[in-house]
Amino acid sequence: MPGTNLTRAEAEARAAAVTTDSYDIELDLTTSETTFRSTSTVRFSATPGESTFIDLIAPSVLSITLNGEALDPATHFVDSRISLPALAAENELTVVADCAYMNTGEGLHRFVDPEDGEVYLYSQFEVADTRRVYAVFEQPDLKASFAFTVTAPDHWHVLSNSPSEKTALEGTVSNAGIDRGVARWTFSPTTRIPCYVTAIVAGPYHEVQGSVESNKGTLSANVYCRKALAEFLDADVILDDTQKGFSFYEEKFQMDYPFEKYDQIFVPEFNAGAMENAGCVTFLEDYVFRSKTAQARVERRTITVLHELAHMWFGDLVTMKWWNDLWLNESFAEFMSTLCAAEVTKYSDAWVTFNSLEKSWAYRQDQLPSTHPIMAEIRDLEDVEVNFDGITYAKGASVLRQLVAYVGQDEFFAGVQEYFRKHHHSNAVLTDLLVELEAASGRDLAAWSDVWLQKAGVTTLRPVIEEDSNGDIAAFSVLQEVPEEWPTQRPHRIGIGAYDVVTDEAGDATVKRTSYVEVDLDGARTEIAEMVGIRRPALILVNDGDLAYAKVRLDEVSLATAVEHVGSFTDAMPRSMVLSAAWDMTRDGEMPARQFADLVLGCIATEDQSTVVLTLLRQLDTALTLYAAPSASEEATRAAAASLWSLALGAEPGSDNQLQFVRAYASLASSDAQLDTLQAIIDGKIQLEGLPLDADLTWDLLTALAAGGRVGEVAIELQLTKDATASGQRRAATARAAIATPEAKQATWDALVNAAEGEDMPNALQFAATQGFSIVHDTALLEPFVDQYFGMLRRVYKDKTNEMATNLIEGLYPVELAGRVPDLQDRAFAWLEANADAHDALKRLVREGSDGVRRALVNQAADAAYEG
């Protein structure tokens, strides 16, 4: 039986036999607290006499009617499919079912607000969870028109892809302990869209009415969130970002916005950052900032708003035929959102953010044993579920940026415009886009596509420099080093910058670029004649400007300059590039982890890019707790924490850096004195000017104290009474999981992994507890769970939904024990050998965890020789 999987071959066979026309979907959200009534009527044509199936995941199917004939659910509904025999040329199918509300962030998610007992619902259908809400041909190439009718409590807002009319009904329904009236919302039919971008959002959401100006006129563009977050919703900022995106995209695409409205809803317990439902976009509600937050998060929200808006054209209007083109869908939106932010919003340094955050994600993913070509082979749904990764998003966007430089930006958009004109409301594949880009630019893209899209791996660019006796460069070349498993030499267009340290009259040093050349690289070694004959500069930066997708190395002289003067760069991009190169060297064992820590702590006080600060602090944590030699890790971590506290005290009051330094200090604090400082901040004995002790900062400090053995359940419960919100519940789950006792760790493990049926944590609480479980000062607390981890893998992967299983398998991998448990790798290898028949997606997760341990061991060995 298929379970809930669907293969590409099955989808292709079904698409060859069936053409969908329309869906009429009636949902009654008043039937119970666990299920809702779903009635779907599907009209489709088919090859006469063919048999096929439609998808549905539901506790019970009440009736199936095909072309007026009743089919017995007991025989026709099996697993996640309803069999449809002997089809006619034109068919009408009606399925009535009781479908289940979910608490996993998939299907129709149901959340009860702990503050007022109100119910909030939202749908999340990508990749294949539309079938949890109505009977559907669950594949992206069977597009159709969708018309929803929804019955719900009359004080709710009910939203979908199209505008609606609301009609009062007789009767009442109990909601949050109060009898409410009932109403019906009737939505107008959509244009032809894929099922995974249909949407239902329902509940007493707070509404801010807004509008955007489009080429087609003024459109409704409302913004929503839970009532409890209403005071924090800066809808004006969100709508301003949205308007900038509308103007930019309609001009670049020469295609009007394709839908009738544009709602944006911030929803609770969301698994991702956002979802591009057509005209009804859902966002993680953490983007409604209830506490002081790093500007990196605010910038990320802007990028996310623009990312989802780009999908309205690329993904919703023109849709991939099958999930192997998921990368193009996501990479295009990622590229466009960064380009838009850099050109028309206040985030003009968005490409610096992209280099620091997105590219580091891509490089990390591309060096795992599970790396794959950008255009991955997707055999079934389980394959695609694990491909929402750094290759699909960040590497793809990096390569698209290179493609734009290769064909020319004007030519690129001319090709995109023709692509939209030819394929709107339809499906397309990569070749369809390349054809238009070739026509617009005159370039042959076959070879480019082969090496960049169909081959995996990231190359390393390493300069080789020879000086003459006068200190001039006598020879300069760039080596392109390729991984053994993916030995593909690629062409690159790169910049090479020469930088010198300039000291002014006051004695202040700055690092300024003195010369720059752009060159083409091809093959294992490229001689760069343009660099020969110039005076040897203090620092040479390969890939200056970040044009190429490649890791770079600094030569010995440049590295010494970087270590001493990286904070003195006058330009954010080369500074970010140098720091990224240092981190790549650290991850690859070429720079000791503690030397990288010294570099970060020496320059971060003057860093003015919030995302760069955020990224560096995360890398600092990894370097100290995972990559430093175990014998030196504890002392180095305490020293780094002390430095961060000094930086926090010296930071401008109320500044972004002050907030980030205090949070980083809390995460690394471990000595008695450092823990005393955290407690003093909570108690109000230490107050930092400009830094309010708000709810989220309090939880950061309390979690750190729990991990340090200073507080337990009582303190956490006390704080939860002060912050009895959904956010407070999540933060409490993290703090509980961090309590530094064997009993607390086992209780968390059991709640995550061994819960009785029906008692699983909701997705957001599971994610929060999983984060907290691995927060330890004494890694011995985690050692008893190694065998339990490998023992639970098959069961968890089988019994839980994809989102829940993946979160647990990735989040609980005992990578923190690298170098502490000698046979950790042997246990992973033994599991893989004993479970060769497991699904490749599960084995991929285990291999990725094992590779994290491998890399940690290499880096610990490199750091052991560092003397600082």
Side-chain angles (χ1 to χ4, degrees), residues 525-733:
R525 187 183 189 115
T526 304
E527 301 292 334
I528 310 297
E530 294 89 338
M531 295 294 292
V532 175
I534 69 171
R535 184 75 178 175
R536 164 71 207 227
L539 184 144
I540 295 175
L541 181 58
V542 172
N543 196 28
D544 196 7
D546 198 27
L547 299 179
Y549 175 79
K551 299 190 299 177
V552 300
R553 290 293 185 261
L554 300 173
D555 67 274
E556 188 173 341
V557 173
S558 297
L559 180 60
T561 300
V563 169
E564 186 175 358
H565 295 290
V566 68
S568 301
F569 275 87
T570 56
D571 188 354
M573 179 59 87
R575 186 171 67 242
S576 175
M577 292 287 299
V578 166
L579 291 167
S580 295
W583 176 240
D584 284 330
M585 293 174 69
T586 303
R587 292 192 76 247
D588 291 346
E590 296 181 30
M591 175 182 274
R594 283 175 287 158
Q595 184 181 10
F596 176 79
D598 292 341
L599 174 64
V600 170
L601 293 168
C603 75
I604 200 167
T606 57
E607 180 56 60
D608 61 2
Q609 298 289 314
S610 180
T611 299
V612 174
V613 172
L614 180 70
T615 302
L616 287 173
L617 290 174
R618 289 173 178 173
Q619 292 168 348
L620 175 67
D621 187 284
T622 301
L624 292 170
T625 60
L626 193 60
Y627 294 167
S631 59
S633 175
E634 182 176 346
E635 180 182 350
T637 300
R638 290 180 176 180
S643 296
L644 286 168
W645 181 243
S646 296
L647 291 173
L649 294 175
E652 180 182 351
S655 67
D656 190 85
N657 279 5
Q658 180 193 44
L659 172 64
Q660 294 210 56
F661 294 158
V662 169
R663 284 181 167 166
Y665 170 71
S667 71
L668 294 179
S670 59
S671 72
D672 286 339
Q674 290 166 353
L675 296 172
D676 287 343
T677 298
L678 299 184
Q679 187 65 60
I681 297 173
I682 288 181
D683 293 341
K685 297 176 181 177
I686 295 178
Q687 297 180 7
L688 297 178
E689 182 184 354
L691 186 65
L693 185 61
D694 55 33
D696 288 323
L697 181 57
T698 301
W699 282 116
D700 289 336
L701 303 177
L702 196 63
T703 300
L705 288 169
R710 289 296 188 90
V711 302
E713 183 67 35
V714 173
I716 293 167
E717 280 298 321
L718 178 61
Q719 179 59 26
L720 188 56
T721 63
K722 300 175 184 177
D723 184 21
T725 66
S727 297
Q729 287 186 340
R730 294 195 298 271
R731 299 305 303 268

Side-chain angles (χ1 to χ4, degrees), residues 64 76 86 92 160 191 198 240 315 514 787:
I64 306 167
H76 286 272
E92 182 174 293
S160 188
T191 57
T198 61
D240 183 62
T514 54
D787 287 337

Side-chain angles (χ1 to χ4, degrees), residues 372-578:
H372 54 84
I374 293 175
M375 189 174 177
E377 179 61 31
I378 301 296
R379 297 162 300 175
D380 57 23
L381 294 178
E382 294 191 31
D383 275 351
V384 71
E385 293 281 8
V386 292
N387 261 31
F388 285 84
D389 59 17
I391 305 296
T392 296
Y393 284 77
K395 181 179 180 180
S398 302
V399 169
L400 278 183
R401 191 184 186 202
Q402 289 188 148
L403 176 61
V404 172
Y406 182 57
V407 302
Q409 184 162 305
D410 291 343
E411 291 79 3
F412 175 81
F413 283 114
V416 168
Q417 291 161 15
E418 189 63 23
Y419 173 81
F420 286 142
R421 281 192 286 270
K422 286 185 177 178
H423 302 287
H424 63 85
H425 298 100
S426 186
N427 295 85
V429 296
L430 171 65
T431 303
D432 296 319
L433 178 61
L434 294 183
V435 164
E436 304 308 331
L437 296 179
E438 287 181 336
S441 67
R443 288 190 179 270
D444 182 354
L445 297 178
W448 178 90
S449 175
D450 178 64
V451 296
W452 280 109
L453 303 182
Q454 298 173 45
K455 302 285 195 305
V458 57
T459 59
T460 300
L461 304 180
R462 189 184 301 271
V464 178
I465 306 164
E466 296 180 19
E467 297 180 36
D468 62 20
S469 57
N470 296 319
D472 295 336
I473 295 179
F476 190 103
S477 59
V478 177
L479 305 182
Q480 183 176 179
E481 300 170 352
V482 297
E484 184 178 341
E485 313 85 67
W486 298 98
T488 302
Q489 296 285 350
R490 299 184 175 97
H492 299 269
R493 179 74 176 173
I494 69 163
I496 301 176
Y499 291 81
D500 277 306
V501 180
V502 179
T503 304
D504 62 19
E505 294 180 357
D508 295 326
T510 58
V511 180
K512 295 184 177 180
R513 190 163 73 185
T514 54
S515 66
Y516 174 83
V517 297
E518 282 192 15
V519 297
D520 292 314
L521 304 183
D522 202 358
R525 187 183 189 115
T526 304
E527 301 292 334
I528 310 297
E530 294 89 338
M531 295 294 292
V532 175
I534 69 171
R535 184 75 178 175
R536 164 71 207 227
L539 184 144
I540 295 175
L541 181 58
V542 172
N543 196 28
D544 196 7
D546 198 27
L547 299 179
Y549 175 79
K551 299 190 299 177
V552 300
R553 290 293 185 261
L554 300 173
D555 67 274
E556 188 173 341
V557 173
S558 297
L559 180 60
T561 300
V563 169
E564 186 175 358
H565 295 290
V566 68
S568 301
F569 275 87
T570 56
D571 188 354
M573 179 59 87
R575 186 171 67 242
S576 175
M577 292 287 299
V578 166

